[in-house]
Each structure stands twice: as C-alpha cells, then as structure tokens.
C-alpha cells in the first residue's frame, strides 16, 4: 500500500520542521572530517583574532566567510551523496560533479585563509 499525499506544514510548525531539517543537516555535516577540520581552523582563526585585537568588522567578515564555507561544504556533501546514490559506478560525469563541488569548497577555503592571514599579518605591520 502506498502512502497518501504529503501535507505541507505551515506557520510555526513549518518553522519547527525547517529547524529540525537544518539540525539534521548540521549533524550529518559533522560526520565529514573535512568539515571538522574547517571548524577547527575557524576556532583557531577566532582565537588569533582575539590575540591580535581584530576589529568587530574583521570578526564579522571572517564569520560570514566561514558560514559561506559551511554552506558550500554542505552542498558539496549533498552532491557527493546524490552522485553516489544515482550513479554508484565510477563515471566521468560523476567524477566531474564531485570535483566541481570540491573546487567550490577549495575556493572558499582559500578566501577564508586569505582573510584570516590578512587580518593577523596586518596587525604586525
């Protein structure tokens, strides 16, 4: 027997459901070692920012860049899972999809490192 039609939640229950889905996604992302490494790097950057006396704007800019990196890491993980589900065999298209997602995350890692490096180095010049 099939299930009946899905009823969409509205109002406050929709907000609660969305928060639950987001929390589930965050828990899933914590299972990725790359994300855990990025999280550690962010904490280290924040400690360094405190030590060198970064401005509020610098803290905010770094936090926004980090949140973007988390978002890209989540999308990259989603791409990898979808490719693995739809095309479990090795394929050139699947490889390209995964490589492009990885490259997007890499670009944000570079942006985060450049921002953190600039803030820390600029305090010593």
């Amino acid at each position: 027997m099939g299930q009946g039609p899905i009823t969409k939640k509205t109002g406050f229950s929709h907000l609660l459901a969305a928060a639950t889905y987001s929390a589930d996604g965050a828990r899933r992302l914590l299972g990725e070692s790359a994300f855990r490494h990025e999280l550690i790097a962010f904490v280290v950057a924040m400690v360094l920012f405190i030590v060198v006396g970064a401005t509020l704007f610098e803290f905010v800019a770094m936090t926004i860049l980090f949140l973007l990196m988390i978002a890209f890491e989540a999308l990259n993980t989603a791409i990898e899972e979808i490719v693995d589900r739809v095309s479990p065999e090795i394929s050139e298209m699947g490889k390209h999809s995964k490589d492009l997602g990885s490259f997007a995350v890499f670009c944000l890692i570079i942006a985060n490192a450049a921002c953190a490096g600039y803030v820390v180095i600029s305090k010593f010049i």
Side-chain angles (χ1 to χ4, degrees):
M1 285 219 165
Q3 295 179 348
I6 297 173
T7 57
K8 293 239 178 205
K9 296 181 187 230
T10 60
F12 188 68
S13 12
H14 172 73
L15 290 175
L16 287 177
T20 301
Y21 304 147
S22 294
D24 289 346
R27 274 191 291 282
R28 169 61 188 89
L29 202 54
L30 276 168
E32 294 291 316
S33 63
F35 172 71
R36 292 191 306 272
H37 295 149
E38 293 158 359
L39 191 57
I40 290 167
F42 177 69
V43 170
V44 168
M46 291 294 102
V47 170
L48 283 172
F49 278 28
I50 292 168
V51 169
V52 301
T55 66
L56 177 61
F57 175 79
E58 291 165 336
F59 275 100
V60 170
M62 189 73 230
T63 301
I64 290 169
L65 272 175
F66 178 70
L67 290 171
L68 280 170
M69 187 169 58
I70 290 174
F72 275 60
E73 189 67 58
L75 291 172
N76 182 47
T77 300
I79 289 168
E80 289 176 353
E81 289 199 0
I82 289 168
V83 167
D84 290 346
R85 170 79 167 121
V86 172
S87 178
E89 72 283 346
I90 303 287
S91 72
E92 196 67 20
M93 191 178 298
K95 180 184 181 328
H96 289 167
S97 298
K98 289 181 172 188
D99 290 349
L100 288 166
S102 180
F103 179 67
V105 172
F106 176 75
C107 289
L108 269 166
I109 288 171
I110 297 300
N112 275 264
C115 179
Y118 172 79
V119 169
V120 171
I121 291 169
S122 71
K123 301 303 178 183
F124 292 105
I125 296 176

